[in-house]
Amino acid sequence: MRISTAWHYQQGVAEMQRQQNALARTQTQLSANQKWRTAADDPAGWAAAQNYDQLLAQNQQYTQAAQSAQARLQLGEDSLASGIGLLQHVRELVVQANTASQSDSSRQAIAKELVSIRDQLLALANTSDGQGRYLFGGADDAGLPFSWNGSSADYAGDQTTVSAQIGSTRYVAQNDPGDAVFMGLKTGNGRFAVSAAAGNTGSAALTKASVSDAAAWDGGSYTLRFSDAGHYEIVDGGGAVLQSGSYADGASIGFRGTTLGFSGTPAAGDQFTLGPSTTQDVFALVDGLATLVAQPQDSEAQRAQIQTALQQGLTALQGAEDHFGDVRSGIGIRLNAIDDALDVSAAVGEHATSAASDLRDLDYADAIARLQLQMTTLEAAQQVYTKVQGLSLFDYLR
């Protein structure tokens, strides 16, 4: 096989170019701390790293959605906690006003404070998230959801529960529509309500109204009427007498799964009406208690009627507190779910970042060792080329 001098030159130049290219590639990797410049350097590794990039981007979206939902729910939880505190203060004021030592003027002052609490509750129901959206407006949360019309609240939001995606298959409700939180509260004990007739002249007042046998309660409307101070009868909506008996001060009367307790002495013809609970908003509930507290109690009959209404109002108030507590507990469950989702997102992000780094990032020790080897190899190739270039047959013959 005949090897020409030109071939030697070409091989030497080609080898030096290969070593220079390899050296330049290693220098670029060191300056960028990246193994690859383009997908052509490692197609499979490049594709795998891009998959991790997509996972990181998606995971970041889940994290941002979870953090946004967390902030909104925390505001809602704080609002409900404040609302429960306000309702508890309402109870304290009503109990305070319902003592014999209070004067008409002091009860008027308490009534004004109750109206102020009603307005505070309204402000809580109109809490903003700080970005121009209202927590309790449902999906229609751009404007104030609640307004007071003089006797009850009007709701301008909707009933939509907005969900946030906090994981690949995890969603969480990030709001509670205001009508489900502040409206639709039951009057009385939640099953039935009792009211005293306006014409009652005796001192009998309701002290207890409960369901003793839920299966026996039929949800009907009934009238308890006293024929005299010691006798009563229960009449249904059609006027039929269902039950009659004797009554003494402090006694309880039970029928159709209900138990009614009274104190005081009724007059002949005094009546109490019992019927299924209706609904009201929490603002109207507090406003109604303020109205009751402000009323004069100049006679035993007036006081008995107000006592009965206050007993029912305080029972409904307890129901409102319990309802707020239930909603708050639901928010707490969702906040726990978000905390868990954020932990998962953090772990996924750490794993994806580490995996992408392992694929892309340069091993400095290996790269520097390779750089030194490539420099040595290039120098050797250059020296060999120089020697080969200097060879001559005439030098050999000489």
Side-chain angles (χ1 to χ4, degrees), residues 144-210:
L144 285 174
F146 289 96
S147 59
W148 181 249
N149 63 25
S151 59
S152 63
D154 293 324
Y155 180 60
D158 62 21
Q159 292 76 41
T160 304
T161 299
V162 181
S163 294
Q165 186 172 3
I166 59 175
S168 58
T169 59
R170 300 183 70 175
Y171 296 82
V172 65
Q174 61 179 336
N175 73 317
D176 290 277
D179 62 336
V181 177
F182 300 97
M183 307 183 80
L185 301 176
K186 294 290 188 178
T187 58
N189 60 23
R191 302 295 294 275
F192 64 86
V194 180
S195 61
N200 285 0
T201 58
S203 62
L206 183 73
T207 58
K208 179 178 69 174
S210 61

Side-chain angles (χ1 to χ4, degrees), residues 24-314:
R25 183 165 57 252
T26 302
Q27 289 174 327
T28 300
Q29 289 175 340
L30 283 167
S31 63
N33 189 28
Q34 296 287 313
K35 292 179 183 178
W36 318 309
R37 290 178 298 171
T38 65
D41 293 336
D42 185 350
W46 185 280
Q50 280 194 321
N51 287 337
Y52 283 120
D53 287 342
Q54 292 174 358
L55 177 60
L56 281 169
Q58 190 176 56
N59 191 64
Q60 182 62 28
Q61 291 179 346
Y62 295 150
T63 299
Q64 291 174 349
Q67 290 172 339
S68 177
Q70 184 181 53
R72 287 180 63 88
L73 287 173
Q74 190 61 63
L75 280 172
E77 197 272 342
D78 291 343
S79 297
L80 285 169
S82 297
I84 291 172
L86 288 173
L87 293 182
Q88 291 171 345
H89 189 41
V90 168
R91 177 179 299 279
E92 294 169 359
L93 290 173
V94 171
V95 172
Q96 177 186 342
N98 196 32
T99 58
S101 61
Q102 297 292 335
S103 65
D104 287 346
S105 61
S106 63
R107 283 195 292 269
Q108 289 284 346
I110 292 173
K112 289 180 180 178
E113 188 172 356
L114 289 172
V115 171
S116 175
I117 292 176
R118 179 205 68 196
D119 293 339
Q120 291 176 60
L121 285 168
L122 197 63
L124 285 176
N126 286 328
T127 298
S128 168
D129 64 359
Q131 299 179 356
R133 319 301 294 186
Y134 292 91
L135 296 179
F136 299 107
D140 187 10
D141 59 357
L144 285 174
F146 289 96
S147 59
W148 181 249
N149 63 25
S151 59
S152 63
D154 293 324
Y155 180 60
D158 62 21
Q159 292 76 41
T160 304
T161 299
V162 181
S163 294
Q165 186 172 3
I166 59 175
S168 58
T169 59
R170 300 183 70 175
Y171 296 82
V172 65
Q174 61 179 336
N175 73 317
D176 290 277
D179 62 336
V181 177
F182 300 97
M183 307 183 80
L185 301 176
K186 294 290 188 178
T187 58
N189 60 23
R191 302 295 294 275
F192 64 86
V194 180
S195 61
N200 285 0
T201 58
S203 62
L206 183 73
T207 58
K208 179 178 69 174
S210 61
V211 176
S212 54
D213 184 355
W217 168 241
D218 61 2
S221 296
Y222 301 94
T223 299
L224 167 64
R225 64 190 183 195
F226 292 92
S227 57
D228 55 48
H231 297 87
Y232 75 89
E233 58 184 12
I234 307 294
V235 181
D236 65 14
V241 177
L242 304 178
Q243 178 179 316
S244 62
S246 299
Y247 167 79
D249 188 358
S252 294
I253 298 173
F255 71 99
R256 294 287 172 91
T258 69
T259 300
L260 306 180
F262 294 91
S263 65
T265 303
D270 284 358
Q271 295 184 359
F272 293 84
T273 301
L274 183 152
S277 294
T278 56
T279 58
Q280 62 184 337
D281 59 69
V282 68
F283 320 105
L285 170 59
V286 175
D287 189 73
L289 288 170
T291 300
L292 285 171
V293 166
Q295 289 182 6
Q297 300 182 20
D298 299 329
S299 66
E300 287 189 354
Q302 287 178 325
R303 180 169 176 77
Q305 288 182 344
I306 293 173
Q307 288 278 330
T308 296
L310 287 178
Q311 192 280 336
Q312 289 290 275
L314 288 173

